[in-house]
Amino acid sequence: MGKNLVGNHIRKLRFNHDEMTQQQLADKAGVTRQTIVALEKGNYSPSLELAFRIAHVFNLPLEEVFFYGENTKK
Amino acid sequence: MGKNLVGNHIRKLRFNHDEMTQQQLADKAGVTRQTIVALEKGNYSPSLELAFRIAHVFNLPLEEVFFYGENTKK
DNA sequence: ACTTCATGTATAGTTTATATTACATTTTGT
DNA sequence: ACAAAATGTAATATAAACTATACATGAAGT
């Protein structure tokens, strides 16, 4: 519950960018794989801090990874 | 604990922009005043969703309100 | 066929963000 | 000086983010 209003392009970026695995992204972002899984599934929106770290992994501004509004969960 | 690595310009923006009070910002962002207080004090970093909402109140991109890295809690 | 690796899924537990309430202090206006 | 509004601060409570672990499935390579 708690309609998540924040979406992201993590999965796309993992592939397009570096063919990075969930585990690798998790490591680079300093979280567990479960967190990445949950984010890709849109289960919840990350903390702002984690959002910044993930964007940094992809070398992108935060708003090119995460966006507000659309209910883009599949 | 939990060194907060995310800073923000909320307080500055409240004044510069609209002379908005903590309570008004809280209302517009859909949170309580306590949350605004905590954010201005740098006690913790908000959820990404709240960060988006606050940025939207100020009509600014998220990264002009919140930033990563510096511990700017003077 | 077997193993390895990436992913999906689930559950329980810890930590952190946020709400709620309440009261004290400072600021502003009259 | 007084009242009202804005802010500071603090305690307890709930919800949401995140960890840890475990097991199951499917693809890829040998």
Side-chain angles (χ1 to χ4, degrees), chain A:
Chain A
M1 301 281 93
K3 324 160 164 298
N4 180 16
L5 293 176
V6 177
N8 65 75
H9 301 299
I10 293 180
R11 195 173 188 93
K12 218 176 310 169
L13 287 169
R14 274 202 302 120
F15 287 92
N16 293 357
H17 250 246
D18 299 297
E19 286 287 343
M20 196 179 301
T21 137
Q22 290 177 336
Q23 187 64 61
Q24 289 171 329
L25 173 55
D27 291 343
K28 293 196 184 187
V31 291
T32 62
R33 188 173 67 88
Q34 290 320 304
T35 299
I36 302 300
V37 171
L39 292 180
E40 288 190 359
K41 282 187 38 175
N43 282 1
Y44 48 69
S45 74
S47 65
L48 180 57
E49 193 171 333
L50 176 54
F52 270 120
R53 294 207 304 266
I54 291 178
H56 183 252
V57 169
F58 290 124
N59 225 358
L60 288 173
L62 189 147
E63 300 192 63
E64 283 182 34
V65 181
F66 299 93
F67 49 91
Y68 186 65
E70 321 313 300
N71 196 356
T72 313
K73 58 174 12 175
K74 77 128 172 320

Side-chain angles (χ1 to χ4, degrees), chain B residues 5-59:
Chain B
L5 293 176
V6 177
N8 67 74
H9 302 299
I10 293 179
R11 196 174 187 92
K12 218 176 310 169
L13 287 169
R14 275 203 300 120
F15 287 93
N16 294 356
H17 250 245
D18 299 297
E19 286 287 344
M20 197 180 301
T21 139
Q22 290 177 336
Q23 187 63 62
Q24 289 171 329
L25 173 55
D27 291 343
K28 293 196 184 188
V31 291
T32 63
R33 188 173 67 88
Q34 289 322 303
T35 299
I36 303 300
V37 171
L39 292 180
E40 287 191 359
K41 282 187 39 176
N43 282 1
Y44 48 70
S45 74
S47 65
L48 179 56
E49 192 171 332
L50 176 54
F52 271 120
R53 294 206 306 265
I54 291 177
H56 183 253
V57 169
F58 290 125
N59 225 356

